Amino acid sequence: MSNFVPSGVRRHATRGAIAAFLALSPSLAFAHPGHGDSYGFAQGFMHPVGGLDHVLAMVAVGIFAASLGGRALWAVPASFVGLMAVGGGLGMAGIDVPFVEFGIVGSIIVLGLVVALGYRNWPLGAAMALVGFFALFHGHAHGAEMPESASGAAYAVGFMLATALLHMVGIGAGLALGKAGEARAPRLVQGLGVVVAVAGLGLLAGAM
C-alpha cells in the first residue's frame, strides 16, 4: 500500500504527535499543582475517552491521517487538536456554537465515509481543514461540559492529551492494516471506515 510507510514511520509519527501536543499546549506552563489541577486534568482526560462519539471520531482522524501518509501523519491530527482547543475555549467562555451535537455525529459519518471511499490524494490543506472544522464541535462540547470546580488549563491539557492518544490509536491501526499486503490493505482500511460511518449513523438515529 503505497501511502503507508511501514519502515520507521511509527517512531516518527509518535515524535510528531508528542511535538504537536507540546506545541499546542501552552496552558501547561500556567497550570499550578494542586487538587483543582489534578481533578481538572483527570476530568478533561476522561471526557473524550468516556464518549463513544468522541472515540470514534478521534480514531477515524488517525486512520485518515495514516491512509494519507507523509506529513499528514502529524499535520492532520495536530490540526484537529489545535482547532479543538479553540472550540474548547469557546465552550468554556459560554460562547454558543450551533448544532454541536449534530456536528459531532456528522464528523463520525463524514470521516468514516472519507476513509471508506479510499481516496488518498487529498491536498494536505484540505484534509487539515476538514478535520479542523469538526474539531471545533468536539472542542466546544468538552469546554462547555467542564466542571465548575476544575482548573480550566489542566482540563484543557487533559482533553487535548486524550485526543492526541486516540489519534495515535487510529494511526497505529491504519499502519498495522497497511502491513497486510498491497492487495488487501486498502480494502481492510475501507472496511474499517464503513464500520465507523455505520456507527455514526446509528448514533444519529438515536439522537433524532
Side-chain angles (χ1 to χ4, degrees), residues 32-64:
H32 303 288
H35 174 74
D37 294 313
S38 299
Y39 174 77
F41 176 83
Q43 291 296 311
F45 187 89
M46 290 307 299
H47 201 269
V49 176
L52 179 61
D53 48 0
H54 295 300
V55 171
L56 287 171
M58 302 310 104
V59 173
V61 169
I63 297 171
F64 181 39

Side-chain angles (χ1 to χ4, degrees), residues 13 16-17 20-21 24 57-84 111 114-115 120-135 163-164 167-168 170-171:
F21 169 72
L24 293 167
M58 302 310 104
V59 173
V61 169
I63 297 171
F64 181 39
S67 70
L68 296 177
R71 289 189 300 161
L73 276 173
W74 62 266
V76 168
S79 176
F80 191 101
V81 174
L83 283 170
M84 184 187 66
L111 291 170
V114 165
V115 173
R120 299 192 301 275
N121 294 321
W122 280 73
L124 181 59
M128 293 171 66
L130 176 68
V131 301
F133 169 74
F134 288 119
T163 297
H167 288 334
M168 291 176 66
I171 290 172

Side-chain angles (χ1 to χ4, degrees), residues 1-206:
M1 191 173 181
S2 60
N3 282 339
F4 288 88
V5 189
S7 178
V9 75
R10 195 174 306 237
R11 180 176 66 255
H12 295 303
T14 301
R15 290 176 179 174
I18 293 172
F21 169 72
L22 292 176
L24 293 167
S25 301
S27 52
L28 277 168
F30 299 99
H32 303 288
H35 174 74
D37 294 313
S38 299
Y39 174 77
F41 176 83
Q43 291 296 311
F45 187 89
M46 290 307 299
H47 201 269
V49 176
L52 179 61
D53 48 0
H54 295 300
V55 171
L56 287 171
M58 302 310 104
V59 173
V61 169
I63 297 171
F64 181 39
S67 70
L68 296 177
R71 289 189 300 161
L73 276 173
W74 62 266
V76 168
S79 176
F80 191 101
V81 174
L83 283 170
M84 184 187 66
V86 174
L90 295 175
M92 291 179 190
I95 300 173
D96 187 45
V97 171
F99 308 113
V100 169
E101 292 301 324
F102 285 105
I104 291 173
V105 176
S107 71
I108 304 169
I109 299 170
V110 171
L111 291 170
L113 288 175
V114 165
V115 173
L117 291 173
Y119 181 73
R120 299 192 301 275
N121 294 321
W122 280 73
L124 181 59
M128 293 171 66
L130 176 68
V131 301
F133 169 74
F134 288 119
L136 290 170
F137 297 109
H138 286 269
H140 189 276
H142 296 324
E145 296 177 20
M146 182 184 74
E148 292 183 2
S149 58
S151 162
Y155 182 84
V157 170
F159 71 68
M160 291 169 71
L161 176 59
T163 297
L165 291 175
L166 288 171
H167 288 334
M168 291 176 66
V169 169
I171 290 172
L175 294 177
L177 290 175
K179 292 183 178 181
E182 288 290 330
R184 295 174 56 194
R187 292 183 181 180
L188 290 173
V189 174
Q190 288 177 272
L192 194 54
V194 171
V195 171
V196 171
V198 169
L201 288 172
L203 292 173
L204 178 62

